[in-house]
Amino acid sequence: MDNKLLYGGKTKNVYELDQDHVILEFKDDVTGEDGRIDPGANSVMGKLEGKGQASLRMSHHFFELLQQKGVASHYVSADLEQNTMVAKKARPFGNGLEVVCRFKAYGSFLRRYAQYAEEFQPLDALVEITLKDDQRGDPLINDEALVQLGLTTADDLEVIKALARQVSGIIRDDLASRSLELIDIKFEFGKVGSQIVVIDDISGDNMRVFKDGTQVPPRELAEMVAG
């Protein structure tokens, strides 16, 4: 691609398109730990052919669904043949916040709170926020620290958390219609002008989904959701 590379991430590259838009290029890299694919992991463990397009198909599906529901995002269009998505430029909060909405106790939540929680214990759309900081393991940060460090305002934080729950509910219901169970999902938010919107992607790279008690790999999930 001839466009200027702005950012190279674990699963996507971001290129300049024009003053107001960027191009997201979806890669075949997968994250994981101990030889297992894990969307919540911070390390790339290898490549899986077709995985980038699968992630884009899911993102296209869910961003189009959010548009139908009147939820604002940075999404503009997708080119499935080129594995790219055009998006509005958005300003992140700080260097990026990862907002996790949890419906069941699993993964890092269970590891932290195993003294009090059981695996797959129901959670009522519990929202956690972590700093986007691979070097420090994406540490959790609480509401007061977010505000006092100037990463967001108290008002914007309430909007972010409400949006995370709203979007998670839309995605959970869509998956449930396919006999799939959403365990947890991770979002990023930013501002386009003064409006807080969903940014990045919405794919198997940032959600855990189970079917009949077994976690569905991202590529297989894309086939179930977006064909």
Side-chain angles (χ1 to χ4, degrees):
M1 185 174 294
D2 295 331
N3 301 71
K4 178 183 176 182
L5 178 66
L6 299 177
Y7 172 76
K10 292 186 290 291
T11 59
K12 291 181 299 300
N13 290 326
V14 181
Y15 296 90
E16 181 98 29
L17 178 59
D18 57 38
Q19 183 176 345
D20 299 315
H21 300 88
V22 293
I23 300 173
L24 278 63
E25 179 185 41
F26 288 69
K27 303 193 290 188
D28 286 342
D29 293 348
V30 293
T31 58
E33 292 178 346
D34 301 323
R36 295 180 57 191
I37 294 175
D38 182 357
N42 285 326
S43 299
V44 173
M45 61 174 289
K47 291 182 180 292
L48 182 62
E49 185 178 354
K51 179 260 179 188
Q53 187 179 75
S55 296
L56 177 58
R57 290 203 312 271
M58 279 191 71
S59 293
H60 174 250
H61 170 81
F62 283 125
F63 277 124
E64 292 281 347
L65 179 60
L66 293 186
Q67 282 188 346
Q68 295 171 20
K69 300 291 186 180
V71 178
S73 76
H74 72 160
Y75 171 81
V76 176
S77 64
D79 186 332
L80 300 180
E81 291 186 1
Q82 296 297 320
N83 283 4
T84 59
M85 185 175 90
V86 175
K88 302 170 188 173
K89 284 186 178 179
R91 303 186 311 278
F93 294 91
N95 291 323
L97 303 177
E98 296 185 333
V99 182
V100 182
C101 188
R102 301 184 183 276
F103 294 105
K104 293 285 183 72
Y106 196 73
S108 61
F109 182 90
L110 188 64
R111 290 192 294 272
R112 288 194 304 271
Y113 306 122
Q115 184 176 358
Y116 304 98
E118 297 180 357
E119 189 173 42
F120 298 118
Q121 174 182 325
L123 301 173
D124 187 17
L126 184 151
V127 173
E128 295 183 318
I129 298 178
T130 72
L131 300 178
K132 194 172 182 180
D133 186 346
D134 290 351
Q135 184 179 349
R136 296 170 179 81
D138 296 339
L140 279 171
I141 185 167
N142 65 29
D143 291 5
E144 288 191 25
L146 282 165
V147 174
Q148 293 202 27
L149 292 174
L151 300 180
T152 181
T153 66
D155 289 343
D156 282 351
L157 182 56
E158 290 307 308
V159 172
I160 290 169
K161 291 163 70 174
L163 269 174
R165 292 189 174 100
Q166 179 187 8
V167 177
S168 296
I170 292 170
I171 293 171
R172 178 191 58 185
D173 292 347
D174 184 72
L175 291 170
S177 72
R178 308 165 197 276
S179 300
L180 298 167
E181 182 181 18
L182 179 62
I183 302 299
D184 52 39
I185 184 167
K186 178 174 64 180
F187 299 103
E188 292 186 39
F189 295 90
K191 280 191 171 183
V192 175
S194 61
Q195 185 177 32
I196 297 174
V197 302
V198 185
I199 63 172
D200 200 43
D201 68 311
I202 305 175
S203 70
D205 290 332
N206 48 35
M207 63 180 76
R208 290 189 182 95
V209 176
F210 278 64
K211 182 177 177 62
D212 300 328
T214 301
Q215 186 172 350
V216 182
R219 189 173 173 184
E220 183 178 336
L221 180 61
E223 292 296 327
M224 294 178 176
V225 172

